[in-house]
Amino acid sequence: MKKILLLLALVLAAHVQAQVKREFRGAWIQCVNGQFQGLSTQQMQQTLTYQLNELQKDGVNAIIFQVRPECDALYQSNIEPWSRFLTGRQGKAPSPFWDPLQWMINECHKRGMELHAWINPYRAKTKGTTALASSHIGVTHPERCFRYDDQLILNPGDPENRFYICDVVADIVSRYDVDGLHIDDYFYPYPVAGQTIPDDAQYRQYSNGIKDRGDWRRYNVSLFVKQLYETVHRVKPWVKVGISPFGIYRNKKSDPMGSDTNGLQNYDDLYAEVLLWINNGWLDYCVPQLYWEIGHKAADYETLIRWWNHYAGGRPLYIGEDIERTVKAADLKNPQQNQMPAKYRLHQLMPKVSGTVLWYAKAAVDDIGKYGTLLRTHYWKYPALQPAMPHIDNKAPRKPRSVKPVWTADGYILFWTAPRGKGWKNEAVRYVVYRFAKGEPVNTQDASKIVAITSNTFYQLPYDDGVRSFTYVVTALDRMHNESKPAKKNVKL
C-alpha cells in the first residue's frame, strides 16, 4: 500500500511540476512551404483563423510568423516588394488588399498571444524563386549579393547590408505592435560540397586586419546581431529579439567545450558565434533547433538539451521541437509510445529551459501523433504567462482598480479599471483573471486557477444559480509580463 501511495505522489508531483506558470509556448508559422500560395485573401484568413484557434486550445501563447523570407514582405512595405509566397508573384499586392502582419497582430492579441515577426536576414532568393521584382535588392543592388546553391544571399561581408537589414527591421518595429523580432538559422549559407562563398573582394576591403577568413565571417555576423539588437531596442525597448540557431554549436572534436555530437556546426560552418551573443546580451531569447530524436547517432537530443542548458542560460532559453520527428520516433525505454513524454520530461529537468517552440504550427494543428491533444490535455493544459525578462524590465505595474461584477444585457460581467501608470514600463497591457472556490487559498502561483489572460478590462462570468461563492482575482501585466499585486472580489455564481 505504501508503494502505491508513493507512486501516486510521484505522479501527482510530476503533474504539478509540468504546470508551470511562466513558459514560452511558441509555434512557427512559415510561408516558404507554400501553404498560402493560391489562396484568396478570405481563404488565407480562414486558414490562419482556424490554426490560431486550434493553437490557442493547445495552450500556445506566442506565434512566430514569417514575414520576410527572401528580402520581400508579407506586410505593406515601402522598402521591399510583396512576397510571392503571399500572392504568387513577387511585387504583386494582395487583392482584395490586406496586411497579413497587421492582421496577425490583431488576431494574436485578441487571443492573449504574442506575435513575433520572423525575418530571414540575409537570404535574398530561395531556390524555387525564378523571378524578382524590379524593386528587389537583388535587382537594384546585385553587387551586394552572391549566388550560392541556386540561392541569392546578401553578402554579410558588405557593411551596407547590415544597415539595410536594420533599416527594414526598424521599419517593421516602428510601424507594427509586434512583441518580438525573430531571426532563424540562416546566416552564411549552409555549406554545399564543391561550392565556395565568393567574398574575396569584401575580405580584401573590410578584413580589419583579421587574418583568418572564418574569424572574419563570424565577426561580420556578430556585428550584425549586435546592430540588430540595438536597432530594435532603440525603436521600442520592449520588443524582444529572438534568435533560433541550428542545434549544434560545436562538436567536441572541434572544441573541448562542444557537445558530444558529430554534425554541422554553428560556429564553424554557419559562422554564427551564438554563445558570444548570449554572453554579451545581444539577444533576449535563444531557441536552438533540437530537431533530432533521443538516441540519434550524430546529434542525440538529450546530449544537446543538456549542453544548451549548461552553456546558454545567460538569456531565456527555449527549445525548438520538431513535432513530426518526435512522434515518429519510439521511446527508447518504452517502444510502445513516441518520444514526446520523454522529451518533455527532459524540459522539466533542465532549470535553464523556460519554453518550447513548435516546428511547425500546422503539425500541431493537424494533431500529428496526438501531439496537439497531449498539449491541451496535459502539458499545456493551463494558461502560462511569458517568462520574466528582468534584463529589460522587472518592475510590476500597479494592481487593477474598481473590480466589480455588473449585470448587463450580455450577462453577468466582471469589470475593472486599468491601474494608473505612465510609460511602457508602468502601463498595464494585459490582465490575468484567476478563480478560487469558497475555502480555497488564494494562490496566484497556481496556474490551474487562471481562467483568462486578456487585454480587455472585463470578463464574462459563468453565472448559474447564484448559490456558489467564488473569489475572483485580477492582476495587471505590463509589456514584459511583470505581474501586479492581486485585486480580489467575492462573487456568487
Side-chain angles (χ1 to χ4, degrees):
M1 184 67 180
K2 285 183 178 178
K3 286 184 178 179
I4 294 173
L5 289 172
L6 178 61
L7 182 62
L8 181 61
L10 288 171
V11 169
L12 288 171
H15 180 72
V16 170
Q17 183 187 24
Q19 309 302 334
V20 296
K21 182 178 170 179
R22 288 186 179 272
E23 187 175 29
F24 190 89
R25 299 171 176 176
W28 281 293
I29 295 183
Q30 84 276 43
C31 64
V32 291
N33 63 345
Q35 66 171 319
F36 304 127
Q37 283 185 280
L39 299 185
S40 66
T41 295
Q42 183 182 17
Q43 288 170 328
M44 183 171 167
Q45 289 178 353
Q46 287 174 342
T47 299
L48 286 168
T49 297
Y50 175 71
Q51 290 187 4
L52 292 177
N53 287 343
E54 292 302 301
L55 292 167
Q56 185 181 23
K57 293 173 191 173
D58 288 344
V60 168
N61 62 15
I63 297 296
I64 301 175
F65 182 54
Q66 190 174 28
V67 299
R68 184 188 183 261
E70 49 179 7
C71 293
D72 53 357
L74 274 84
Y75 60 95
Q76 189 167 18
S77 170
N78 292 324
I79 302 174
E80 296 185 315
W82 284 101
S83 176
R84 77 170 179 92
F85 294 107
L86 176 65
T87 64
R89 190 179 83 238
Q90 194 177 90
K92 179 185 177 184
S95 180
F97 183 84
W98 70 305
D99 184 322
L101 175 55
Q102 185 59 57
W103 187 90
M104 283 291 285
I105 290 167
N106 295 341
E107 292 298 313
C108 287
H109 287 177
K110 272 196 318 194
R111 292 168 175 80
M113 297 173 171
E114 290 194 341
L115 189 285
H116 294 225
W118 162 22
I119 71 163
N120 300 87
Y122 293 114
R123 188 172 61 195
K125 185 189 85 66
T126 59
K127 289 184 180 183
T129 298
T130 56
L132 299 176
S134 60
S135 60
H136 188 274
I137 192 166
V139 176
T140 59
H141 286 285
E143 76 284 357
R144 283 166 44 189
C145 309
F146 62 77
R147 291 194 173 274
Y148 189 93
D149 193 31
D150 200 28
Q151 300 177 90
L152 200 62
I153 309 293
L154 286 180
N155 195 329
D158 187 334
E160 286 189 74
N161 288 330
R162 276 204 317 277
F163 288 90
Y164 173 74
I165 299 164
C166 288
D167 284 345
V168 170
V169 166
D171 177 58
I172 293 171
V173 174
S174 65
R175 292 193 296 116
Y176 294 92
D177 187 19
V178 295
D179 301 286
L181 191 287
H182 184 91
I183 65 175
D184 58 15
D185 53 326
Y186 293 102
F187 301 103
Y188 277 88
Y190 276 71
V192 175
Q195 300 207 25
T196 56
I197 295 170
D199 58 2
D200 288 351
Q202 288 76 22
Y203 183 57
R204 283 194 300 271
Q205 188 173 358
Y206 302 114
S207 66
N208 294 314
I210 299 172
K211 301 298 183 187
D212 181 82
R213 185 76 63 104
D215 287 342
W216 175 71
R217 288 174 180 166
R218 280 183 285 275
Y219 171 74
N220 293 331
V221 176
S222 293
L223 273 181
F224 160 69
V225 169
K226 180 176 185 287
Q227 188 170 332
L228 172 79
Y229 187 79
E230 290 170 350
T231 297
V232 170
H233 284 275
R234 183 173 63 250
V235 177
K236 286 180 180 172
W238 61 86
V239 173
K240 305 165 190 175
V241 176
I243 297 179
S244 178
F246 182 72
I248 298 172
Y249 180 65
R250 296 193 90 184
N251 299 311
K252 189 165 278 186
K253 64 184 178 184
S254 301
D255 182 344
M257 196 180 78
S259 53
D260 191 10
T261 49
N262 291 289
L264 185 104
Q265 304 168 103
N266 269 301
Y267 184 94
D268 304 81
D269 301 311
L270 303 176
Y271 307 100
E273 201 169 353
V274 184
L275 293 189
L276 176 73
W277 313 338
I278 293 169
N279 293 333
N280 284 348
W282 296 342
L283 48 78
D284 296 311
Y285 67 87
C286 181
V287 193
Q289 298 171 19
L290 304 192
Y291 290 170
W292 304 276
E293 62 269 22
I294 299 169
H296 190 283
K297 288 181 180 178
D300 171 50
Y301 179 94
E302 182 169 351
T303 297
L304 284 165
I305 194 172
R306 290 183 183 279
W307 188 92
W308 285 96
N309 176 73
H310 181 77
Y311 287 103
R315 281 287 192 259
L317 174 64
Y318 316 143
I319 302 300
E321 291 285 350
D322 186 305
I323 292 175
E324 290 193 44
R325 291 193 207 181
T326 297
V327 300
K328 286 177 181 176
D331 188 305
L332 300 184
K333 296 178 182 176
N334 182 3
Q336 302 306 308
Q337 68 180 19
N338 67 43
Q339 291 195 354
M340 183 182 183
K343 286 187 173 182
Y344 276 78
R345 276 196 298 274
L346 284 170
H347 280 234
Q348 293 163 15
L349 289 170
M350 301 297 123
K352 299 292 187 181
V353 172
S354 54
T356 307
V357 183
L358 306 175
W359 179 258
Y360 50 99
K362 190 175 183 298
V365 170
D366 293 344
D367 201 20
I368 295 173
K370 298 296 181 183
Y371 197 102
T373 295
L374 273 170
L375 288 179
R376 68 178 65 180
T377 60
H378 181 59
Y379 297 105
W380 293 353
K381 182 177 180 180
Y382 300 110
L385 277 61
Q386 297 294 337
M389 292 205 175
H391 64 276
I392 297 178
D393 173 38
N394 64 356
K395 185 182 177 184
R398 294 179 178 179
K399 66 181 182 181
R401 298 174 292 155
S402 307
V403 180
K404 185 178 181 182
V406 178
W407 276 104
T408 74
D410 296 318
Y412 204 28
I413 296 178
L414 189 69
F415 287 96
W416 59 88
T417 303
R420 293 186 178 91
K422 289 185 178 180
W424 68 270
K425 287 188 176 184
N426 301 307
E427 290 174 346
V429 294
R430 292 185 182 91
Y431 302 90
V432 188
V433 183
Y434 303 81
R435 179 169 111 149
F436 300 91
K438 186 177 181 180
E440 274 188 319
V442 172
N443 175 18
T444 57
Q445 294 308 307
D446 185 350
S448 71
K449 301 304 178 183
I450 298 174
V451 293
I453 300 174
T454 177
S455 56
N456 298 324
T457 54
F458 58 87
Y459 173 74
Q460 177 92 42
L461 292 165
Y463 185 82
D464 185 14
D465 52 14
V467 173
R468 283 170 293 280
S469 295
F470 296 92
T471 299
Y472 275 83
V473 170
V474 184
T475 61
L477 300 176
D478 62 17
R479 284 193 174 270
M480 302 317 300
H481 271 224
N482 294 307
E483 188 176 19
S484 75
K485 291 180 180 177
K488 304 174 188 177
K489 194 68 181 179
N490 294 325
V491 180
K492 286 194 172 183
L493 300 176

